[in-house]
CSV table of all heavy atoms in Angstrom, one decimal:
chain,number,residue,atom,x,y,z
A,715,LYS,N,-15.1,15.7,-62.9
A,715,LYS,CA,-14.1,15.1,-62.0
A,715,LYS,C,-13.5,16.2,-61.2
A,715,LYS,O,-13.4,15.9,-59.9
A,715,LYS,CB,-13.0,14.4,-62.9
A,715,LYS,CG,-13.4,13.1,-63.4
A,715,LYS,CD,-12.3,12.6,-64.2
A,715,LYS,CE,-12.6,11.2,-64.9
A,715,LYS,NZ,-11.5,10.6,-65.6
A,716,ILE,N,-13.3,17.4,-61.5
A,716,ILE,CA,-12.7,18.3,-60.8
A,716,ILE,C,-13.7,18.8,-59.7
A,716,ILE,O,-13.4,18.9,-58.6
A,716,ILE,CB,-12.3,19.5,-61.7
A,716,ILE,CG1,-11.1,19.1,-62.6
A,716,ILE,CG2,-11.9,20.7,-60.9
A,716,ILE,CD1,-10.8,20.2,-63.6
A,717,ILE,N,-14.9,19.1,-60.1
A,717,ILE,CA,-16.0,19.4,-59.2
A,717,ILE,C,-16.2,18.4,-58.0
A,717,ILE,O,-16.2,18.6,-56.9
A,717,ILE,CB,-17.3,19.7,-59.8
A,717,ILE,CG1,-17.1,21.0,-60.7
A,717,ILE,CG2,-18.4,19.9,-58.8
A,717,ILE,CD1,-18.3,21.4,-61.6
A,718,PHE,N,-16.1,17.1,-58.5
A,718,PHE,CA,-16.3,15.9,-57.6
A,718,PHE,C,-15.2,15.9,-56.6
A,718,PHE,O,-15.3,15.6,-55.5
A,718,PHE,CB,-16.5,14.7,-58.3
A,718,PHE,CG,-16.7,13.4,-57.5
A,718,PHE,CD1,-17.7,13.3,-56.9
A,718,PHE,CD2,-15.6,12.5,-57.3
A,718,PHE,CE1,-17.9,12.2,-56.0
A,718,PHE,CE2,-15.7,11.4,-56.5
A,718,PHE,CZ,-16.9,11.3,-55.8
A,719,SER,N,-13.9,16.0,-57.1
A,719,SER,CA,-12.7,15.9,-56.3
A,719,SER,C,-12.7,17.2,-55.3
A,719,SER,O,-12.4,16.9,-54.2
A,719,SER,CB,-11.5,16.2,-57.2
A,719,SER,OG,-11.3,15.1,-58.1
A,720,ILE,N,-13.2,18.2,-55.7
A,720,ILE,CA,-13.3,19.4,-54.9
A,720,ILE,C,-14.3,19.2,-53.8
A,720,ILE,O,-14.0,19.5,-52.6
A,720,ILE,CB,-13.6,20.8,-55.6
A,720,ILE,CG1,-12.3,21.1,-56.3
A,720,ILE,CG2,-13.9,21.9,-54.6
A,720,ILE,CD1,-12.7,22.3,-57.4
A,721,ALA,N,-15.3,18.7,-54.1
A,721,ALA,CA,-16.4,18.3,-53.1
A,721,ALA,C,-16.0,17.2,-52.2
A,721,ALA,O,-16.3,17.4,-51.0
A,721,ALA,CB,-17.8,17.9,-53.9
A,722,VAL,N,-15.3,16.3,-52.6
A,722,VAL,CA,-14.8,15.3,-51.7
A,722,VAL,C,-13.8,15.8,-50.6
A,722,VAL,O,-13.7,15.5,-49.5
A,722,VAL,CB,-14.2,14.0,-52.5
A,722,VAL,CG1,-13.4,13.1,-51.6
A,722,VAL,CG2,-15.3,13.4,-53.1
A,723,ALA,N,-12.9,16.7,-51.4
A,723,ALA,CA,-11.8,17.3,-50.5
A,723,ALA,C,-12.4,18.2,-49.4
A,723,ALA,O,-12.1,18.2,-48.2
A,723,ALA,CB,-10.8,18.2,-51.4
A,724,CYS,N,-13.5,19.0,-49.8
A,724,CYS,CA,-14.2,19.9,-48.9
A,724,CYS,C,-14.9,19.0,-47.8
A,724,CYS,O,-14.9,19.3,-46.6
A,724,CYS,CB,-15.2,20.8,-49.5
A,724,CYS,SG,-14.5,22.0,-50.5
A,725,LEU,N,-15.5,18.0,-48.1
A,725,LEU,CA,-16.2,17.1,-47.2
A,725,LEU,C,-15.1,16.4,-46.2
A,725,LEU,O,-15.4,16.5,-45.0
A,725,LEU,CB,-16.9,15.9,-47.9
A,725,LEU,CG,-17.8,15.0,-47.1
A,725,LEU,CD1,-18.9,15.8,-46.4
A,725,LEU,CD2,-18.3,13.9,-47.9
A,726,PHE,N,-14.1,16.1,-46.7
A,726,PHE,CA,-12.9,15.5,-46.0
A,726,PHE,C,-12.5,16.5,-44.8
A,726,PHE,O,-12.2,16.2,-43.7
A,726,PHE,CB,-11.9,15.0,-46.8
A,726,PHE,CG,-10.8,14.3,-46.1
A,726,PHE,CD1,-10.9,13.1,-45.4
A,726,PHE,CD2,-9.6,14.8,-46.0
A,726,PHE,CE1,-9.9,12.5,-44.7
A,726,PHE,CE2,-8.5,14.3,-45.2
A,726,PHE,CZ,-8.6,13.1,-44.7
A,727,MET,N,-12.2,17.7,-45.4
A,727,MET,CA,-11.8,18.8,-44.4
A,727,MET,C,-12.7,19.0,-43.4
A,727,MET,O,-12.4,19.3,-42.3
A,727,MET,CB,-11.4,20.1,-45.2
A,727,MET,CG,-10.1,19.9,-46.0
A,727,MET,SD,-9.5,21.5,-46.7
A,727,MET,CE,-10.1,21.4,-48.4
A,728,VAL,N,-14.0,19.1,-43.7
A,728,VAL,CA,-15.0,19.5,-42.7
A,728,VAL,C,-15.1,18.4,-41.7
A,728,VAL,O,-15.3,18.6,-40.5
A,728,VAL,CB,-16.3,19.8,-43.5
A,728,VAL,CG1,-17.5,19.8,-42.4
A,728,VAL,CG2,-16.2,21.0,-44.2
A,729,SER,N,-15.0,17.1,-42.2
A,729,SER,CA,-15.3,15.9,-41.2
A,729,SER,C,-14.1,15.8,-40.4
A,729,SER,O,-14.1,15.1,-39.4
A,729,SER,CB,-15.7,14.7,-42.0
A,729,SER,OG,-14.6,14.4,-42.9
A,730,CYS,N,-12.9,16.2,-40.8
A,730,CYS,CA,-11.7,15.9,-40.0
A,730,CYS,C,-11.2,17.2,-39.2
A,730,CYS,O,-10.0,17.4,-39.1
A,730,CYS,CB,-10.5,15.5,-40.9
A,730,CYS,SG,-10.9,13.9,-41.7
A,731,LYS,N,-12.2,18.0,-38.7
A,731,LYS,CA,-11.7,19.2,-37.9
A,731,LYS,C,-11.2,18.8,-36.7
A,731,LYS,O,-11.4,17.6,-36.1
A,731,LYS,CB,-12.9,20.1,-37.6
A,731,LYS,CG,-14.1,19.6,-36.9
A,731,LYS,CD,-15.2,20.5,-37.0
A,731,LYS,CE,-16.3,19.8,-36.4
A,731,LYS,NZ,-17.5,20.7,-36.3
A,732,LYS,N,-10.1,19.6,-36.2
A,732,LYS,CA,-9.4,19.2,-35.1
A,732,LYS,C,-10.2,19.3,-33.9
A,732,LYS,O,-10.9,20.3,-33.6
A,732,LYS,CB,-8.1,20.2,-35.0
A,732,LYS,CG,-7.1,19.9,-35.8
A,732,LYS,CD,-5.8,20.8,-35.4
A,732,LYS,CE,-4.7,20.4,-36.0
A,732,LYS,NZ,-3.5,21.4,-35.8
A,733,GLU,N,-10.1,18.3,-33.0
A,733,GLU,CA,-10.8,18.4,-31.7
A,733,GLU,C,-9.9,19.2,-30.7
A,733,GLU,O,-8.6,19.1,-30.8
A,733,GLU,CB,-11.0,17.0,-31.1
A,733,GLU,CG,-12.0,16.3,-31.9
A,733,GLU,CD,-12.4,15.0,-31.1
A,733,GLU,OE1,-12.3,14.9,-29.8
A,733,GLU,OE2,-12.8,14.1,-31.8
A,734,ALA,N,-10.6,20.1,-30.0
A,734,ALA,CA,-9.8,20.7,-28.9
A,734,ALA,C,-9.0,19.8,-28.0
A,734,ALA,O,-9.7,18.9,-27.4
A,734,ALA,CB,-10.7,21.8,-28.1
A,735,ALA,N,-7.8,20.1,-27.9
A,735,ALA,CA,-7.1,19.2,-26.9
A,735,ALA,C,-7.6,19.4,-25.4
A,735,ALA,O,-7.7,20.6,-25.0
A,735,ALA,CB,-5.6,19.5,-27.0
A,736,LYS,N,-7.8,18.3,-24.7
A,736,LYS,CA,-8.3,18.5,-23.4
A,736,LYS,C,-7.1,18.6,-22.5
A,736,LYS,O,-6.2,17.9,-22.6
A,736,LYS,CB,-9.2,17.2,-22.9
A,736,LYS,CG,-10.5,17.1,-23.7
A,736,LYS,CD,-11.2,16.0,-23.1
A,736,LYS,CE,-12.6,15.9,-23.8
A,736,LYS,NZ,-13.4,14.7,-23.2
A,737,VAL,N,-7.0,19.6,-21.7
A,737,VAL,CA,-6.0,19.8,-20.8
A,737,VAL,C,-6.3,19.1,-19.4
A,737,VAL,O,-7.3,19.4,-18.8
A,737,VAL,CB,-5.7,21.2,-20.5
A,737,VAL,CG1,-4.6,21.5,-19.5
A,737,VAL,CG2,-5.3,22.0,-21.8
A,738,GLU,N,-5.6,18.1,-19.1
A,738,GLU,CA,-5.7,17.4,-17.9
A,738,GLU,C,-4.9,18.0,-16.8
A,738,GLU,O,-3.7,17.9,-16.9
A,738,GLU,CB,-5.3,15.8,-18.1
A,738,GLU,CG,-5.9,14.9,-17.0
A,738,GLU,CD,-7.3,14.7,-16.9
A,738,GLU,OE1,-7.9,14.8,-18.0
A,738,GLU,OE2,-7.9,14.4,-15.8
A,739,LEU,N,-5.6,18.5,-15.8
A,739,LEU,CA,-5.0,19.1,-14.6
A,739,LEU,C,-4.3,18.0,-13.7
A,739,LEU,O,-4.9,16.9,-13.6
A,739,LEU,CB,-5.9,19.9,-13.8
A,739,LEU,CG,-6.6,21.1,-14.4
A,739,LEU,CD1,-7.6,21.7,-13.6
A,739,LEU,CD2,-5.5,22.1,-14.7
A,740,PRO,N,-3.2,18.2,-13.1
A,740,PRO,CA,-2.7,17.2,-12.2
A,740,PRO,C,-3.6,17.0,-11.1
A,740,PRO,O,-4.4,17.8,-10.7
A,740,PRO,CB,-1.4,17.9,-11.7
A,740,PRO,CG,-1.5,19.2,-12.0
A,740,PRO,CD,-2.4,19.5,-13.2
A,741,VAL,N,-3.5,15.7,-10.5
A,741,VAL,CA,-4.5,15.5,-9.4
A,741,VAL,C,-4.0,16.4,-8.2
A,741,VAL,O,-3.0,16.4,-7.9
A,741,VAL,CB,-4.3,13.9,-9.1
A,741,VAL,CG1,-5.1,13.6,-7.8
A,741,VAL,CG2,-4.8,13.1,-10.2
A,742,LYS,N,-5.1,16.9,-7.6
A,742,LYS,CA,-5.0,17.8,-6.4
A,742,LYS,C,-5.7,17.1,-5.2
A,742,LYS,O,-6.9,17.3,-5.1
A,742,LYS,CB,-5.4,19.1,-6.7
A,742,LYS,CG,-5.2,20.2,-5.6
A,742,LYS,CD,-5.7,21.6,-5.9
A,742,LYS,CE,-5.6,22.5,-4.7
A,742,LYS,NZ,-6.2,23.8,-5.0
A,743,LYS,N,-4.8,16.3,-4.6
A,743,LYS,CA,-5.4,15.4,-3.5
A,743,LYS,C,-5.9,16.2,-2.3
A,743,LYS,O,-5.3,17.1,-1.9
A,743,LYS,CB,-4.5,14.4,-3.0
A,743,LYS,CG,-4.3,13.2,-4.0
A,743,LYS,CD,-3.4,12.1,-3.5
A,743,LYS,CE,-3.0,11.0,-4.5
A,743,LYS,NZ,-2.2,10.0,-3.8
A,744,ALA,N,-7.2,15.8,-1.9
A,744,ALA,CA,-7.7,16.4,-0.7
A,744,ALA,C,-8.4,15.2,0.1
A,744,ALA,O,-8.7,14.2,-0.5
A,744,ALA,CB,-8.7,17.5,-0.9
A,745,GLN,N,-8.7,15.5,1.4
A,745,GLN,CA,-9.3,14.4,2.2
A,745,GLN,C,-10.4,14.9,3.1
A,745,GLN,O,-10.2,16.2,3.5
A,745,GLN,CB,-8.4,13.7,3.0
A,745,GLN,CG,-9.0,12.4,3.6
A,745,GLN,CD,-7.9,11.6,4.3
A,745,GLN,OE1,-6.7,11.8,4.3
A,745,GLN,NE2,-8.3,10.5,5.1
A,746,VAL,N,-11.6,14.3,3.2
A,746,VAL,CA,-12.5,14.8,4.1
A,746,VAL,C,-13.1,13.7,4.8
A,746,VAL,O,-13.3,12.5,4.2
A,746,VAL,CB,-13.6,15.6,3.4
A,746,VAL,CG1,-14.5,14.6,2.3
A,746,VAL,CG2,-14.6,16.2,4.2
A,747,SER,N,-13.6,13.9,6.0
A,747,SER,CA,-14.3,12.8,6.8
A,747,SER,C,-15.8,13.4,6.9
A,747,SER,O,-16.0,14.5,7.4
A,747,SER,CB,-13.6,12.7,8.2
A,747,SER,OG,-12.5,12.1,8.1
A,748,LEU,N,-16.7,12.4,6.7
A,748,LEU,CA,-18.0,12.9,6.7
A,748,LEU,C,-18.7,12.1,7.7
A,748,LEU,O,-18.6,10.8,7.7
A,748,LEU,CB,-18.7,12.7,5.3
A,748,LEU,CG,-18.4,13.5,4.0
A,748,LEU,CD1,-19.2,13.2,2.9
A,748,LEU,CD2,-18.4,14.9,4.4
A,749,ALA,N,-19.6,12.7,8.7
A,749,ALA,CA,-20.5,12.0,9.4
A,749,ALA,C,-21.8,11.6,8.7
A,749,ALA,O,-22.4,12.5,8.0
A,749,ALA,CB,-20.7,12.9,10.7
A,750,ILE,N,-22.2,10.4,8.6
A,750,ILE,CA,-23.3,10.1,7.9
A,750,ILE,C,-24.4,9.4,8.9
A,750,ILE,O,-24.1,8.4,9.5
A,750,ILE,CB,-23.1,8.9,6.9
A,750,ILE,CG1,-21.9,9.6,5.9
A,750,ILE,CG2,-24.3,8.6,6.0
A,750,ILE,CD1,-21.4,8.5,5.0
A,751,SER,N,-25.5,10.1,8.9
A,751,SER,CA,-26.7,9.5,9.8
A,751,SER,C,-27.6,8.8,8.8
A,751,SER,O,-27.6,9.2,7.6
A,751,SER,CB,-27.4,10.8,10.5
A,751,SER,OG,-28.0,11.6,9.5
A,752,GLY,N,-28.4,7.9,9.4
A,752,GLY,CA,-29.3,7.2,8.5
A,752,GLY,C,-29.0,5.8,8.3
A,752,GLY,O,-29.8,5.0,7.7
A,753,MET,N,-27.6,5.4,8.5
A,753,MET,CA,-27.3,4.1,8.2
A,753,MET,C,-27.8,3.0,9.3
A,753,MET,O,-27.6,3.4,10.4
A,753,MET,CB,-25.7,4.0,8.2
A,753,MET,CG,-25.2,4.7,7.0
A,753,MET,SD,-23.3,4.3,6.8
A,753,MET,CE,-22.6,4.9,8.3
A,754,THR,N,-28.4,2.0,8.8
A,754,THR,CA,-28.9,0.9,9.8
A,754,THR,C,-28.3,-0.4,9.6
A,754,THR,O,-28.5,-1.2,10.5
A,754,THR,CB,-30.4,0.8,9.5
A,754,THR,OG1,-30.5,0.3,8.0
A,754,THR,CG2,-31.3,2.0,9.6
A,755,CYS,N,-27.3,-0.6,8.7
A,755,CYS,CA,-26.6,-1.8,8.7
A,755,CYS,C,-25.3,-1.7,7.9
A,755,CYS,O,-25.2,-0.6,7.3
A,755,CYS,CB,-27.4,-2.8,7.9
A,755,CYS,SG,-27.9,-2.5,6.3
A,756,GLU,N,-24.4,-2.6,8.1
A,756,GLU,CA,-23.0,-2.5,7.5
A,756,GLU,C,-23.1,-2.8,5.9
A,756,GLU,O,-22.6,-2.0,5.1
A,756,GLU,CB,-22.0,-3.4,8.2
A,756,GLU,CG,-20.7,-3.1,7.7
A,756,GLU,CD,-19.6,-3.7,8.6
A,756,GLU,OE1,-19.9,-4.2,9.8
A,756,GLU,OE2,-18.5,-3.7,8.2
A,757,ILE,N,-23.8,-3.8,5.6
A,757,ILE,CA,-23.8,-4.2,4.1
A,757,ILE,C,-24.6,-3.4,3.3
A,757,ILE,O,-24.2,-2.9,2.3
A,757,ILE,CB,-24.0,-5.8,4.0
A,757,ILE,CG1,-22.9,-6.5,4.7
A,757,ILE,CG2,-24.2,-6.2,2.6
A,757,ILE,CD1,-23.1,-8.0,4.8
A,758,GLY,N,-25.9,-3.3,3.7
A,758,GLY,CA,-26.8,-2.5,2.9
A,758,GLY,C,-26.7,-1.2,2.9
A,758,GLY,O,-27.0,-0.5,1.9
A,759,CYS,N,-26.1,-0.5,3.9
A,759,CYS,CA,-26.0,1.0,4.0
A,759,CYS,C,-24.5,1.3,3.6
A,759,CYS,O,-24.2,2.0,2.7
A,759,CYS,CB,-26.4,1.5,5.2
A,759,CYS,SG,-28.1,1.2,5.6
A,760,ALA,N,-23.7,0.9,4.7
A,760,ALA,CA,-22.3,1.5,4.6
A,760,ALA,C,-21.6,1.0,3.4
A,760,ALA,O,-20.9,1.7,2.7
A,760,ALA,CB,-21.5,0.9,5.8
A,761,LYS,N,-21.7,-0.3,3.0
A,761,LYS,CA,-21.0,-0.8,1.8
A,761,LYS,C,-21.6,-0.2,0.5
A,761,LYS,O,-20.9,0.1,-0.4
A,761,LYS,CB,-21.1,-2.3,1.7
A,761,LYS,CG,-20.3,-3.0,2.8
A,761,LYS,CD,-18.8,-2.8,2.7
A,761,LYS,CE,-18.1,-3.4,3.8
A,761,LYS,NZ,-16.7,-2.9,3.9
A,762,THR,N,-22.9,0.1,0.4
A,762,THR,CA,-23.4,0.7,-0.8
A,762,THR,C,-23.0,2.2,-0.8
A,762,THR,O,-22.6,2.6,-2.0
A,762,THR,CB,-25.1,0.7,-0.5
A,762,THR,OG1,-25.6,-0.6,-0.5
A,762,THR,CG2,-25.8,1.4,-1.6
A,763,ILE,N,-23.0,2.8,0.3
A,763,ILE,CA,-22.5,4.3,0.2
A,763,ILE,C,-21.1,4.2,-0.3
A,763,ILE,O,-20.6,5.0,-1.1
A,763,ILE,CB,-22.7,5.0,1.6
A,763,ILE,CG1,-24.1,5.1,1.9
A,763,ILE,CG2,-21.9,6.3,1.5
A,763,ILE,CD1,-24.4,5.6,3.3
A,764,GLN,N,-20.2,3.3,0.2
A,764,GLN,CA,-18.7,3.4,-0.1
A,764,GLN,C,-18.6,2.9,-1.6
A,764,GLN,O,-17.8,3.5,-2.2
A,764,GLN,CB,-18.1,2.3,0.8
A,764,GLN,CG,-16.6,2.1,0.4
A,764,GLN,CD,-15.9,1.1,1.4
A,764,GLN,OE1,-16.0,1.2,2.6
A,764,GLN,NE2,-15.2,0.1,0.9
A,765,SER,N,-19.4,2.0,-2.0
A,765,SER,CA,-19.4,1.6,-3.4
A,765,SER,C,-19.8,2.7,-4.4
A,765,SER,O,-19.0,3.0,-5.3
A,765,SER,CB,-20.3,0.4,-3.6
A,765,SER,OG,-20.4,0.1,-5.1
A,766,LYS,N,-20.8,3.4,-4.1
A,766,LYS,CA,-21.3,4.6,-4.9
A,766,LYS,C,-20.2,5.8,-4.9
A,766,LYS,O,-20.0,6.3,-5.9
A,766,LYS,CB,-22.6,5.0,-4.5
A,766,LYS,CG,-23.7,4.1,-4.9
A,766,LYS,CD,-25.1,4.5,-4.5
A,766,LYS,CE,-26.2,3.5,-4.8
A,766,LYS,NZ,-26.5,3.4,-6.3
Side-chain angles (χ1 to χ4, degrees):
K715 285 183 180 179
I716 292 171
I717 293 173
F718 180 74
S719 297
I720 292 172
V722 169
C724 289
L725 184 63
F726 182 71
M727 283 192 260
V728 170
S729 66
C730 293
K731 57 184 167 180
K732 281 186 175 179
E733 288 187 32
K736 292 184 179 180
V737 177
E738 190 70 28
L739 295 173
V741 174
K742 187 176 176 186
K743 287 185 181 182
Q745 188 172 357
V746 66
S747 292
L748 301 179
I750 303 174
S751 61
M753 291 192 295
T754 57
C755 61
E756 187 164 350
I757 295 173
C759 298
K761 293 297 179 197
T762 298
I763 293 169
Q764 180 173 311
S765 174
K766 290 185 182 285

